[in-house]
Amino acid sequence: MRAFVFLSALLLSFKGLTAEQQYLVTQVDIQGEVVLFKTHPQKQVTQLSCVEPSLQAHWGVDLNVPGNVNIYSLVLGAFDSQTPVTITSKQACIAGVEAVKAIGVIK
């Protein structure tokens, strides 16, 4: 039993060592059916050729994609409460910015 508790505590401590970047949402804009937002720290420059140079600092959420309204809600909640989030790229673009696949809220 002690070994189980020790291993559980060890695994939980490794979970806290992940190198996932945490962001604060600093700006949110809606352009048609696309939500554009910026973060701090500023997102790293992407290698996606479809990203407009002037929009490198933005993330995008297409509101026409099923489930993305939930991501939009998380973006607004994180912006309002200044709660840190993790962002996963879709490795594609929407309206000249890097599209978001998922957002995780950091407690």
Side-chain angles (χ1 to χ4, degrees):
M1 181 67 175
R2 285 185 186 173
F4 177 76
V5 172
F6 175 76
L7 287 175
S8 297
L10 185 64
L11 289 174
L12 288 174
S13 67
F14 281 124
K15 183 179 178 185
L17 296 175
T18 59
E20 237 178 332
Q21 177 67 52
Q22 294 182 15
Y23 298 96
L24 292 177
V25 178
T26 59
Q27 179 182 339
V28 180
D29 297 308
I30 300 175
Q31 294 183 359
E33 297 294 318
V34 177
V35 177
L36 301 177
F37 66 96
K38 287 183 168 183
T39 58
H40 177 79
Q42 190 174 40
K43 75 183 214 46
Q44 294 180 356
V45 174
T46 182
Q47 299 301 318
L48 296 173
S49 61
C50 55
V51 174
E52 296 290 328
S54 63
L55 298 173
Q56 283 283 343
H58 292 79
W59 293 96
V61 179
D62 183 355
L63 295 176
N64 290 316
V65 173
N68 278 4
V69 172
N70 295 333
I71 292 175
Y72 172 52
S73 295
L74 286 171
V75 168
L76 285 181
F79 175 68
D80 184 51
S81 66
Q82 287 299 284
T83 300
V85 295
T86 59
I87 302 171
T88 305
S89 172
K90 196 178 268 189
Q91 297 299 312
C93 292
I94 179 70
V97 300
E98 190 168 0
V100 173
K101 179 179 181 180
I103 289 188
V105 177
I106 308 298
K107 292 183 179 184

